[in-house]
Amino acid sequence: MSTISEVTGSSSSSQLSAITGSNTLGKEDFLTLLVAQLQNQDPLNPSDPTEFTAQLAQYSSLEQLMSVNDNIENLASTSQNQQQLSALGLIGREVVVEKGDFKLGTDDVTLGYQLEAQADRVELHVQDSHGNSLAVLEPTEMAAGSHFVTWDGTGKNGLPVAPGNYTLSILALDGNDEGISNQALIRGQVTGVDLDGSKSTLVTNCGSYNLSAVKSIREL
């Protein structure tokens, strides 16, 4: 007599497909195979009760695992919906993102930097897509922590930098000209939210950012 445990290999996969119509064994398919086994057992050599009980236990475990999987999928879907609702609630708020990429328009932009330790020299370089430095800002705040400066879009040559996408790069050195760990920051106002599947993208006056990049949120 064939048992559930023997449903393995390419030959058994074909048998499984013939009985259940699929090569994937779900809880309903498991029960179908179990019933088919009982219906086709040899009357002169009936199924071992111990083996039958073990197979029922396997069915029970499979059903529980399927239920757990369904619950996990439901929780993931609920978490995604909550994240999207939270993102919508940020419209009109001020956010700080841990990114160096930003978009320059016609208004001033707020650029920031986070220092891991006291610095002796800090420079903020605004670079184009080719890595060219178009503007250099020299802030006065050197203490460890987060600091911000306003840039009016004026370049090193004293002329306005054209609107577009740029990158903020930070140079931070201590008294021995050793580099200090730092993080570029951009501060802007959320004007909208793009919902794309599991991702929530914040649209701000200085660019679009993934919700996961947000460092802080403030009311205006």
Side-chain angles (χ1 to χ4, degrees), residues 63-107:
E63 186 174 26
Q64 292 177 13
L65 288 174
M66 295 291 287
S67 297
V68 169
N69 184 63
D70 290 341
N71 290 335
I72 291 176
E73 290 180 353
N74 290 335
L75 286 173
S77 178
T78 300
S79 177
Q80 176 182 329
N81 292 335
Q82 289 178 341
Q83 184 187 57
Q84 292 179 340
L85 289 175
S86 297
L88 291 174
L90 296 180
I91 295 177
R93 301 287 185 90
E94 181 184 85
V95 295
V96 173
V97 294
E98 293 182 322
K99 288 286 185 179
D101 301 330
F102 68 96
K103 182 177 181 179
L104 175 66
T106 57
D107 297 326

Side-chain angles (χ1 to χ4, degrees), residues 121-138:
R121 175 186 170 196
V122 175
E123 292 181 357
L124 278 59
H125 291 258
V126 176
Q127 300 174 321
D128 61 15
S129 59
H130 300 292
N132 299 315
S133 181
L134 304 181
V136 179
L137 307 179
E138 298 182 356

Side-chain angles (χ1 to χ4, degrees), residues 30 35 57 65 74 88 98 102-103 111 123 137 140 142 157 166 186 189 191 201-202 210-211:
F30 191 104
V35 171
L65 288 174
N74 290 335
L88 291 174
E98 293 182 322
F102 68 96
K103 182 177 181 179
L111 308 178
E123 292 181 357
L137 307 179
T140 58
M142 304 292 175
N157 57 7
Y166 298 98
I186 305 296
Q189 181 180 354
T191 58
T201 302
L202 302 182
N210 193 287
L211 184 60

Side-chain angles (χ1 to χ4, degrees), residues 6-220:
E6 292 173 345
V7 184
T8 58
S10 59
S11 176
S12 297
S13 296
S14 299
Q15 296 174 2
L16 174 62
S17 180
I19 296 174
T20 66
S22 171
N23 287 327
T24 303
L25 183 63
K27 64 179 183 179
E28 297 299 332
D29 299 327
F30 191 104
L31 185 58
T32 298
L33 287 173
L34 192 59
V35 171
Q37 175 182 315
L38 292 176
Q39 291 176 338
N40 294 280
Q41 65 180 332
D42 185 354
L44 300 179
N45 184 24
S47 176
D48 182 358
T50 302
E51 181 182 359
F52 180 69
T53 301
Q55 291 175 356
L56 285 178
Q58 292 178 31
Y59 171 74
S60 178
S61 297
L62 176 62
E63 186 174 26
Q64 292 177 13
L65 288 174
M66 295 291 287
S67 297
V68 169
N69 184 63
D70 290 341
N71 290 335
I72 291 176
E73 290 180 353
N74 290 335
L75 286 173
S77 178
T78 300
S79 177
Q80 176 182 329
N81 292 335
Q82 289 178 341
Q83 184 187 57
Q84 292 179 340
L85 289 175
S86 297
L88 291 174
L90 296 180
I91 295 177
R93 301 287 185 90
E94 181 184 85
V95 295
V96 173
V97 294
E98 293 182 322
K99 288 286 185 179
D101 301 330
F102 68 96
K103 182 177 181 179
L104 175 66
T106 57
D107 297 326
D108 297 351
V109 293
T110 303
L111 308 178
Y113 55 102
Q114 179 175 307
L115 302 175
E116 294 299 321
Q118 175 75 31
D120 187 67
R121 175 186 170 196
V122 175
E123 292 181 357
L124 278 59
H125 291 258
V126 176
Q127 300 174 321
D128 61 15
S129 59
H130 300 292
N132 299 315
S133 181
L134 304 181
V136 179
L137 307 179
E138 298 182 356
T140 58
E141 295 289 344
M142 304 292 175
S146 299
H147 312 285
F148 296 90
V149 296
T150 300
W151 181 48
D152 61 4
T154 301
K156 292 189 296 185
N157 57 7
L159 298 176
V161 174
N165 296 316
Y166 298 98
T167 301
L168 174 63
S169 178
I170 311 298
L171 172 66
L173 303 174
D174 62 16
N176 298 318
D177 285 339
E178 296 290 337
I180 294 175
S181 180
N182 61 78
Q183 171 65 55
L185 306 172
I186 305 296
R187 186 164 67 190
Q189 181 180 354
V190 180
T191 58
V193 177
D194 289 335
L195 304 178
D196 182 17
S198 60
K199 296 182 179 179
S200 298
T201 302
L202 302 182
V203 180
T204 76
N205 62 316
C206 52
S208 298
Y209 305 97
N210 193 287
L211 184 60
S212 61
V214 174
K215 173 181 173 64
S216 66
I217 304 167
R218 296 287 188 276
E219 290 186 0
L220 292 175

